[in-house]
Amino acid sequence: MIRVEGLSKTFGSLEAVRDLHLSVPEGQIYGLVGPDGAGKTTTLRLLCGALRPDPAGKSGTRIEIGGYDLLSELENARAQIGYLPQRFSLYEELTVLENIGFFAEMRGIPAAEWRPRCMAILEFVGLVEFTNRRAGQLSGGMKQKLGLAAALVHRPKVLLLDEPTTGVDPVTRQDFWQLIIQMVAESRQNGGSASVLVTTPYMDEAARCQKVGFMRLGKLLVEGSPQELRQQLEGRILELTGEPLEGLRRIAGQIAGVESVQRFGERLHLRIQAGQQEAVSEELSTRVPAEGGVLYSLDRAAPQLEDVFMSLAESEDE
Amino acid sequence: MLNIRLVSLVRKEFIQIWRDPRTLVLILVIPVMQLFLLGYAATNDVRNMPLAVLDQDRSPQARQLLDAYRAADYFRIAYDVDREADLRTLMDQGKARAGLIIPPGYGRQISEGGPAQVAFILDGSDPTVAATSLSAAQLIGQSLATGVMAETLARRGQPGSLQLPLDVRTQVWYNPDLISAHFMIPGVIGMILFAITSILTATAIVRERERGTIEQLIVTPIRSWELIVGKLLPYIILALLNTLEVIAIGAWWFKVPVRGDLGMIILLSGLFAATGLGIGLLASTFANTQQEAMLTVWMTLLPSIFLSGFFFPLEAMPPVLQWLSYLMPLRYYLVIIRALLLKGVSVAALQQEIIALAVFGAGIMLIAALRFHKRLD
């Protein structure tokens, strides 16, 4: 499990992470989302001991990783971690097998033990045919899978994944998530259940996590299950279609009570202030025909995580 | 028990070196290239200097003088000119490095018992070469003069050999033929050891940072000292192989004598390599990119080459530079390696230098190890 209390990190005058509290119980996949520069990567680096946190403030800083205190038992805590950095961090000159072997041995696992386990992992991530190919010659998606394999070889209790699917094709992205979910399920069967903390810029990926935290400017603004988060905006999203779409968009933007207008393909999503749904619907129905437009449909839509985070980001700006 | 992490780290380093053609060339070819370049090019030996001759006399005596110059292989009579202006042009253009003017009436003056005068002109742009040429030119002239004098005396009826009142018998030890290569090659060994260990170690560590592999390495429970030793060991092995390579080629091709104990040479070379490794390790803690690492190492490499007595004798330097030279580990190693190769002295004679090297090695390593952190910040 992961438990973080009062974690802060400052680079010069930049507060990359501010008083972070977070916990990921065993068997859970926790998604950390947020725009670039929110402090997600810094958080993961702090959690694996690659960066040193700011000296503890009043509250006291605690990082607990798989039962060890990272700050006082660094190497014991690190031994529990599987880490997949954002940037490919294996050796391009080494083959797939050599890379996994190297990182297994760095963790003190002898060849007799890692070899069979490694083949199982390669099979699991679908790299068996490429065992003797050099890592530098793998595609982006395969490199990420290799990274995951190397991070899993010592059966970590804590898996830290930093934007694992950035720059990976959509099919591989699906594979990758299947792998993570399957890995957690298998670890649950084997008794030693793993905690996964994953950062992602993709909302559809965040929706697959059991718990999601939204980070912005170093602060964790809100967390909860995707369902809980979506409920915050229940009933406040209107979806409309019509012509001309740009005209509709302009009109919607002028109506009081509309917080934001977003275009998704041939549809518009409006976020409405709480309690204003009826008024906005009526005004749209009258103004659009009056200005020469056609409204095909106007319905309530289920809020997406994206809507939730947009509204959080905006309220934070005000 | 064998440390599995250490073994694995060293093996990985060797695989990386083996599969990276650039590093491989750097390690295998550059030392040999440097050896040949410096063995041949960086020589102070004066040989076959192009000489322009303006013989205005054309007498048998003048020919005898020219023969004397021809016989010693310091000079090569490259030009025979008729006018002084031509000689000047050749010197200006650098085609001739020296000029000899034999004035009219030289032969007559010699046969009349002298004193006859010739003018010897030298291109002094390169003082070292000029100094050697100057003494060579004078020696050739003097020995001829002695011969002529003896002849003259004999003709005047005073037979018997001419005895000069003072005879300095010189003996040159260790490098009797004064071959520059014999002096240079031990220096090349020192330079290569230092350059290979410091540059390769620094870039090997910084490369992990540059490519992001350090992030994965940091998370493994490997200890800092294991990481340091695992990174240094491969390069110390390579540096010692290079030492053997250069000594072997030096002995076989340049006929450099290897008079000392080879085991001791390797042992002390390893001690010296430790300082290079330390500097590489230290540089890696400052640099973020391989280029920065290279530059940092170069900054230490250049002064240590110039202030170590590699090219220029330390005794001739101003006192400040002489003091600075004591800070250059290469200085001590050059004394050691030259003494072991050329003089074959025992280790006891080199005690001071060995202690100095050990102190430097341990000091630099300690500072570097203290600065080396298994972290990103």
Side-chain angles (χ1 to χ4, degrees):
Chain A
M1 77 165 298
I2 307 171
R3 188 179 296 140
V4 178
E5 286 167 22
L7 180 64
S8 300
K9 177 69 188 174
T10 322
F11 297 108
S13 61
L14 176 76
E15 291 175 88
V17 175
R18 302 193 231 178
D19 196 28
L20 185 80
H21 292 257
L22 185 135
S23 108
V24 187
E26 287 175 12
Q28 190 178 74
I29 302 176
Y30 187 112
L32 205 52
V33 297
D36 283 346
K40 301 178 305 245
T41 296
T42 307
T43 303
L44 290 202
R45 284 179 172 170
L46 286 164
L47 292 191
C48 64
L51 292 175
R52 198 157 39 176
D54 288 350
K58 287 171 247 154
S59 50
T61 305
R62 257 188 79 76
I63 304 175
E64 198 189 308
I65 298 284
Y68 291 96
D69 180 355
L70 182 92
L71 299 176
S72 61
E73 300 166 277
L74 182 60
E75 300 303 347
N76 282 334
R78 274 176 175 157
Q80 314 300 318
I81 298 173
Y83 175 43
L84 181 59
Q86 198 168 355
R87 210 172 133 203
F88 182 65
S89 62
L90 304 186
Y91 298 96
E92 308 225 327
E93 302 91 341
L94 265 58
T95 65
V96 167
L97 196 66
E98 285 165 343
N99 262 303
I100 296 181
F102 174 71
F103 284 103
E105 285 174 2
M106 282 300 104
R107 291 176 176 282
I109 305 169
E113 213 174 302
W114 68 255
R115 270 182 194 283
R117 198 189 296 176
C118 165
M119 290 320 285
I121 290 174
L122 286 176
E123 193 144 358
F124 177 63
V125 299
L127 284 177
V128 173
E129 309 148 63
F130 304 109
T131 38
N132 291 317
R133 189 182 286 195
R134 293 204 191 157
Q137 289 159 359
L138 294 175
S139 71
M142 288 202 280
K143 277 183 179 172
Q144 286 305 87
K145 286 180 177 174
L146 173 59
L148 183 66
L152 290 178
V153 70
H154 57 292
R155 298 201 176 115
K157 288 203 186 118
V158 166
L159 195 56
L160 305 172
L161 308 171
D162 196 1
E163 300 200 2
T165 57
T166 300
V168 168
D169 68 89
V171 177
T172 315
R173 257 177 70 188
Q174 295 305 319
D175 285 358
F176 209 88
W177 274 88
Q178 286 307 320
L179 286 175
I180 297 171
I181 292 164
Q182 216 176 318
M183 196 278 292
V184 174
E186 275 174 28
S187 74
R188 207 175 287 142
Q189 282 169 10
N190 296 337
S193 204
S195 314
V196 181
L197 181 59
V198 53
T199 71
T200 175
Y202 302 115
M203 294 303 156
D204 60 319
E205 291 187 352
R208 298 182 138 179
C209 302
Q210 279 117 338
K211 203 170 179 186
V212 179
F214 182 63
M215 239 185 136
R216 192 160 179 277
L217 298 173
K219 276 197 279 191
L220 188 65
L221 295 181
V222 68
E223 60 172 9
S225 70
Q227 217 170 343
E228 286 164 4
L229 292 174
R230 282 193 287 252
Q231 262 164 14
Q232 296 187 344
L233 288 184
E234 195 53 55
R236 287 174 54 195
I237 303 296
L238 286 181
E239 183 180 272
L240 60 106
T241 56
E243 265 177 28
L245 213 54
E246 275 314 302
L248 295 181
R249 186 179 185 156
R250 184 179 48 79
I251 295 166
Q254 290 165 350
I255 294 173
V258 175
E259 284 179 344
S260 85
V261 184
Q262 273 198 300
R263 182 174 173 167
F264 290 95
E266 291 305 302
R267 294 164 293 138
L268 292 180
H269 271 200
L270 312 186
R271 194 175 71 238
I272 317 292
Q273 269 173 18
Q276 299 283 309
Q277 295 92 324
E278 294 304 314
V280 172
S281 302
E282 273 170 35
E283 196 167 348
L284 272 172
S285 320
T286 51
R287 272 190 69 177
V288 171
E291 298 194 20
V294 189
L295 205 57
Y296 298 146
S297 68
L298 177 61
D299 298 299
R300 281 191 182 186
Q304 301 297 308
L305 277 179
E306 195 138 11
D307 298 317
V308 179
F309 296 134
M310 290 292 292
S311 92
L312 276 170
E314 281 162 25
S315 63
E316 196 55 20
D317 281 338
E318 277 154 17
Chain B
M1 206 196 94
L2 216 54
N3 186 324
I4 170 173
R5 289 193 285 242
L6 210 50
V7 173
S8 190
L9 197 57
V10 171
R11 191 179 53 220
K12 181 222 78 175
E13 207 68 31
F14 273 119
I15 295 179
Q16 276 188 302
I17 294 166
W18 185 245
R19 289 187 188 160
D20 177 18
R22 273 185 317 166
T23 316
L24 212 56
V25 167
L26 193 70
I27 292 169
L28 293 177
V29 182
I30 302 273
V32 180
M33 251 172 61
Q34 273 176 339
L35 178 65
F36 277 97
L37 268 177
L38 290 169
Y40 279 116
T43 166
N44 295 328
D45 298 352
V46 174
R47 221 164 246 132
N48 295 324
M49 296 278 289
L51 177 72
V53 172
L54 171 61
D55 183 359
Q56 297 169 317
D57 193 44
R58 308 269 174 201
S59 62
Q61 286 83 354
R63 204 165 309 122
Q64 195 186 2
L65 178 65
L66 291 181
D67 283 342
Y69 275 96
R70 218 174 261 131
D73 42 336
Y74 287 104
F75 300 100
R76 169 171 60 88
I77 299 178
Y79 303 97
D80 195 350
V81 297
D82 297 321
R83 295 183 304 140
E84 207 173 323
D86 292 345
L87 190 138
R88 174 169 290 279
T89 314
L90 286 168
M91 293 282 289
D92 283 349
Q93 293 170 336
K95 286 179 179 163
R97 300 293 294 275
L100 178 65
I101 302 176
I102 304 174
Y106 166 83
R108 185 171 38 80
Q109 279 168 343
I110 289 277
S111 49
E112 284 169 5
Q117 281 183 338
V118 294
F120 194 84
I121 302 146
L122 256 182
D123 177 352
S125 327
D126 181 342
T128 331
V129 171
T132 319
S133 318
L134 187 66
S135 52
Q138 280 170 343
L139 261 174
I140 295 169
Q142 266 167 21
S143 86
L144 184 69
T146 320
V148 170
M149 207 191 265
E151 235 174 79
T152 315
L153 288 175
R155 241 186 288 125
R156 285 183 187 163
Q158 287 171 306
S161 61
L162 179 81
Q163 203 70 51
L164 287 175
L166 174 66
D167 183 12
V168 177
R169 292 282 170 101
T170 56
Q171 253 186 328
V172 179
W173 282 10
Y174 311 128
N175 185 3
D177 298 326
L178 296 176
I179 303 168
S180 281
H182 289 191
F183 180 71
M184 280 304 190
I185 284 163
V188 174
I189 295 173
M191 201 179 75
I192 288 168
L193 258 176
F194 195 66
I196 291 262
T197 49
S198 56
I199 291 180
L200 289 184
T201 320
T203 53
I205 296 173
V206 172
R207 191 174 52 211
E208 301 257 6
R209 201 170 304 152
E210 214 177 44
R211 297 215 190 144
T213 49
I214 193 81
E215 271 199 73
Q216 196 61 257
L217 218 46
I218 282 175
V219 188
T220 68
I222 187 168
R223 315 274 150 177
S224 270
W225 72 264
E226 290 171 330
L227 200 52
I228 292 176
V229 173
K231 274 281 170 190
L232 300 191
L233 213 54
Y235 296 102
I236 211 162
I237 293 172
L238 286 175
L240 291 181
L241 284 177
N242 277 143
T243 307
L244 283 178
E245 183 191 14
V246 174
I247 291 178
I249 296 177
W252 167 68
W253 186 266
F254 291 101
K255 308 279 180 261
V256 176
V258 183
R259 299 199 173 98
D261 174 28
L262 198 60
M264 197 45 79
I265 293 176
I266 295 294
L267 195 72
L268 293 176
S269 297
L271 181 63
F272 171 63
T275 66
L277 293 167
I279 284 174
L281 186 64
L282 195 60
S284 79
T285 65
F286 290 104
N288 285 314
T289 63
Q290 292 189 61
Q291 261 106 346
E292 273 176 43
M294 284 274 216
L295 266 178
T296 315
V297 171
W298 266 110
M299 306 243 273
T300 66
L301 210 55
L302 282 182
S304 63
I305 286 171
F306 289 121
L307 293 178
S308 61
F310 184 0
F311 290 117
F312 314 117
L314 292 169
E315 293 78 3
M317 288 182 189
V320 181
L321 292 188
Q322 286 196 28
W323 293 329
L324 278 178
S325 78
Y326 286 106
L327 296 176
M328 306 297 153
L330 185 57
R331 176 201 162 115
Y332 306 102
Y333 180 68
L334 285 191
V335 173
I336 292 175
I337 189 79
R338 278 175 181 154
L340 285 180
L341 285 181
L342 303 182
K343 303 184 187 171
V345 301
S346 71
V347 176
L350 298 167
Q351 227 169 16
Q352 282 183 328
E353 281 78 13
I354 294 171
I355 291 171
L357 269 191
V359 169
F360 270 102
I364 295 171
M365 273 298 188
L366 190 70
I367 297 171
L370 287 177
R371 275 193 55 89
F372 186 86
H373 291 297
K374 223 186 103 188
R375 269 202 317 272
L376 291 175
D377 61 345

